Amino acid sequence: MGGIKIRVDDVTVRYVDAAGHAHVPLDRVSLNIRAGEFLCLLGPSGCGKTTLLNLLAGFLRPTSGSVSIDGAEVTRPDPRHVTLFQEYGLYPWRTVLGNVLFGLQAQRVERAEGERRARAALDLVGLGDAARRFPHQLSGGMKQRVALARALVVEPDVLFMDEPFGALDTFTRGRLQDELRRIRRDRKPTIVFVTHDIDEAAYLGDRVAVMATHPGRIAALLDFPADTQFSRESARFQERRAKVYAAVREAFGEDEPTEDEIEPPVAESPLQELAAL
Amino acid sequence: MTLPLRWGRRLLPVSAVLAFLGLWQWSAGHYPPDQLPSPLDVAAGFRELTESGALFEHIRISLLRFATAYGLAAAVAIPLGLLLGGYAPAGRACDPLLQLLRPISPIAWFPLAVLWFGIGNPPAIFIIFLAAFFPILLATISGVRDVEPLHLKVASNFGAGRVFTFVAVVLPAAFPHVMVGLHIALGTAWIHLVAGEMLGAQSGLGYLIVDARNFLRTDLIIAGMLLVGALGLAINGAMRRAEGVVRRRWGAV
């Protein structure tokens, strides 16, 4: 692990809505993210995790406090830090290859060179054969792979991921989580990953920031040894899950988040049920 | 007795047309042909028109005027719509004006059309232009404004400049909307073709109808009307096919 990559210093986001109510999606959050680490922001809806990600990615400015990456204050989006969204954000009129080429064309990379890199990125996410297809011909999992290839092809040193697998079925989600781990081992980007899925955070994160609501804040920061080898069946994963779940329980006390706010740690995932046997 | 579905589907509209023709033929028996000619009279009139060859000249002139006016409308309305939709201050500035002008029927422009353009081709083209202009303009504006915020967010993330974002994101995103506008405009413009050609033009389908009225040739009036309908149907069909191609290419957005 390298030094500090992203510094979040006493950041508050406050706004007044049309009805005159004040909202504080983020209240005095400070956080240091290390170069090359995988940080999960875990919390129910309304805890400000997506707001925090938008601040890091430069889509939003804080009301007070500051965010800096590599020592430079973040004021706007930057192609060195690419965000992946739950809804993919693919361009329906472009082919898969055209979508992956988008970032390269925006940066005026020469055509032949761009195509070579785009095809390599598609191979990396296992979509080498789908280059000529259109997004509407793809499943959700394939669309997110295209978005991942489009991000990776510009060789970003930070990936921001906003519930990227949230719309996918459990099996697809599990496969993509494994691929993300593999890509991470190869490319070593810094990853900030927003999720409301405790299993996902425990499986992927070197660190897990558990966020709480009203106002949005980081309630606990769990530090695990960096490890991308353990499986979902391993005792090590069970241990991580238990720790994350305990932190979530502590953050919300008896006033536990309701069903729609946070996904329960067990159930839902067949992979989990297999692991529990 | 049941017929195969395909036959049933054809049979229904065909029998409706036959019933309509029957009713028409029966009604025509109660009126003088100058007031209501029978379908057979109209068919005879139609044959008369085709045999003289004048009909095809009228059709050619009408289509030429229509294409000119419609093309001009698209050439002005699409760039203007891109500007008003893409540049918010311009859009805000022009919005009240557009809302004021839009509900005015092209027919209401008749007196001005004649005062400004005299008679013949120009006023007809002007009227058709007006009829096509607003649907294209408004669809283009809304197409540009309705670009998915996420698509713009992605573009800004990759460091896309204003020009690249406009060309590579806004234009293609707005394109299906523009197609819808072009389709609607095709219909309204075709409807106003006849009206425009009644403004002193000496040729075209609108003139054909006016001219037939002057000679009390009711059979030719109705033949002209049916011809306008049939050509409109054909043009609309071609447009729908083009739109289908675009929709498929754009992932049915």
Side-chain angles (χ1 to χ4, degrees):
Chain A
M1 278 317 122
I4 303 299
K5 181 80 180 169
I6 305 174
R7 210 178 280 277
V8 179
D9 190 18
D10 202 21
V11 158
T12 296
V13 174
R14 196 183 293 112
Y15 69 94
V16 178
D17 66 19
H21 300 293
H23 294 266
V24 188
L26 279 181
D27 187 35
R28 306 200 59 180
V29 171
S30 291
L31 178 68
N32 288 332
I33 301 168
R34 297 187 287 254
E37 86 164 317
F38 196 127
L39 177 80
C40 284
L41 301 174
L42 173 70
S45 48
C47 72
K49 57 191 192 298
T50 293
T51 304
L52 180 54
L53 196 79
N54 278 327
L55 286 172
L56 301 183
F59 294 122
L60 190 71
R61 299 299 314 274
T63 312
S64 65
S66 71
V67 177
S68 61
I69 301 182
D70 296 324
E73 184 161 1
V74 173
T75 55
R76 59 195 178 108
D78 187 314
R80 286 172 302 174
H81 321 135
V82 178
T83 305
L84 269 82
F85 302 92
Q86 184 175 346
E87 313 82 25
Y88 325 117
L90 298 179
Y91 297 117
W93 55 85
R94 284 178 168 242
T95 61
V96 165
L97 184 68
N99 269 284
V100 178
L101 278 169
F102 183 85
L104 298 170
Q105 290 170 346
Q107 290 167 35
R108 300 204 176 85
V109 172
E110 189 244 328
R111 170 122 204 140
E113 155 83 357
E115 276 209 23
R116 191 187 55 73
R117 281 168 64 182
R119 287 190 183 277
L122 280 173
D123 285 338
L124 186 70
V125 299
L127 281 180
D129 295 335
R132 290 282 156 215
R133 290 165 80 178
F134 283 92
H136 67 94
Q137 299 169 314
L138 307 178
S139 67
M142 291 165 90
K143 285 181 193 166
Q144 198 56 276
R145 282 167 204 262
V146 176
L148 187 59
R150 178 171 69 180
L152 292 172
V153 77
V154 298
E155 292 168 1
D157 52 11
V158 183
L159 282 179
F160 295 118
M161 308 184 80
D162 190 2
E163 301 191 31
F165 308 146
L168 307 177
D169 67 83
T170 314
F171 296 98
T172 311
R173 193 187 311 169
R175 261 205 309 281
L176 278 165
Q177 287 166 355
D178 290 340
E179 279 190 37
L180 186 58
R181 269 184 164 190
R182 178 175 58 79
I183 285 162
R184 200 202 148 191
R185 278 199 294 271
D186 296 346
R187 301 254 177 147
K188 312 217 170 12
T190 306
I191 301 178
V192 183
F193 190 106
V194 164
T195 182
H196 57 197
D197 180 340
I198 290 177
D199 283 3
E200 190 164 63
Y203 187 64
L204 292 173
D206 302 331
R207 286 199 294 165
V208 177
V210 178
M211 298 188 67
T213 50
H214 309 301
R217 65 195 186 279
I218 295 175
L221 194 54
L222 302 169
D223 205 339
F224 298 114
D227 179 355
T228 56
Q229 302 300 327
F230 64 82
S231 70
R232 290 185 184 80
E233 291 80 12
S234 65
R236 197 174 301 168
F237 177 53
Q238 298 304 321
E239 203 180 295
R240 285 189 180 219
R241 265 181 74 226
K243 279 188 183 152
V244 178
Y245 190 54
V248 168
R249 189 175 283 279
E250 183 147 339
F252 291 91
E254 291 314 301
D255 181 30
E256 234 180 294
T258 51
E259 283 277 319
D260 63 64
E261 277 183 318
I262 193 156
E263 292 188 356
V266 203
E268 272 217 25
S269 151
L271 295 169
Q272 263 324 301
E273 279 157 25
L274 279 174
L277 287 174
Chain B
M1 191 184 82
T2 51
L3 286 162
L5 194 62
R6 205 153 47 88
W7 280 92
R9 229 175 246 161
R10 292 261 167 82
L11 208 62
L12 233 69
V14 167
S15 48
V17 169
L18 288 177
F20 173 76
L21 287 174
L23 192 67
W24 178 5
Q25 181 74 42
W26 176 79
S27 315
H30 298 72
Y31 296 92
D34 288 351
Q35 235 173 0
L36 181 62
S38 74
L40 292 173
D41 295 335
V42 171
F46 190 75
R47 200 174 314 122
E48 187 187 319
L49 284 172
T50 51
E51 272 165 10
S52 73
L55 181 67
F56 301 105
E57 186 55 19
H58 287 312
I59 291 175
R60 196 184 65 82
I61 294 270
S62 278
L63 287 178
L64 201 63
R65 276 189 196 124
F66 180 74
T68 307
Y70 182 76
L72 268 176
V76 178
I78 293 174
L80 188 61
L82 292 175
L83 175 73
L84 298 186
Y87 183 56
R92 264 196 303 278
C94 295
D95 196 56
L97 200 59
L98 287 181
Q99 298 308 329
L100 178 76
L101 293 176
R102 190 173 65 116
I104 302 172
S105 162
I107 310 279
W109 289 85
F110 268 16
L112 289 180
V114 176
L115 275 173
W116 292 347
F117 299 104
I119 55 168
N121 273 330
I125 289 172
F126 178 65
I127 294 299
I128 303 165
F129 173 90
L130 281 176
F133 182 75
F134 283 102
I136 301 174
L137 180 68
L138 295 172
T140 307
I141 292 174
S142 76
V144 174
R145 286 189 183 155
D146 288 351
V147 176
E148 283 225 28
L150 184 58
H151 286 162
L152 297 174
K153 217 172 164 181
V154 168
S156 77
N157 194 171
F158 284 108
R162 288 176 69 98
V163 175
F164 184 79
T165 302
F166 190 77
V167 173
V169 181
V170 175
L171 277 186
F175 189 63
H177 294 259
V178 177
M179 282 299 280
V180 171
L182 285 170
H183 192 165
I184 295 170
L186 200 68
T188 54
W190 188 255
I191 286 170
H192 288 89
L193 170 78
V194 176
E197 286 183 337
M198 288 179 171
L199 289 178
Q202 293 302 309
S203 55
L205 294 168
Y207 164 79
L208 176 75
I209 292 172
V210 176
D211 190 50
R213 184 203 60 187
N214 291 341
F215 291 95
L216 268 181
R217 289 292 304 273
T218 321
D219 55 338
L220 297 187
I221 293 177
I222 293 178
M225 286 167 66
L226 291 176
L227 201 61
V228 169
L231 283 172
L233 188 69
I235 293 173
N236 198 50
M239 186 69 186
R240 190 174 304 165
R241 212 158 300 146
E243 221 185 337
V245 171
V246 170
R247 287 178 94 84
R248 271 194 299 282
R249 175 68 173 73
W250 256 247
V253 271

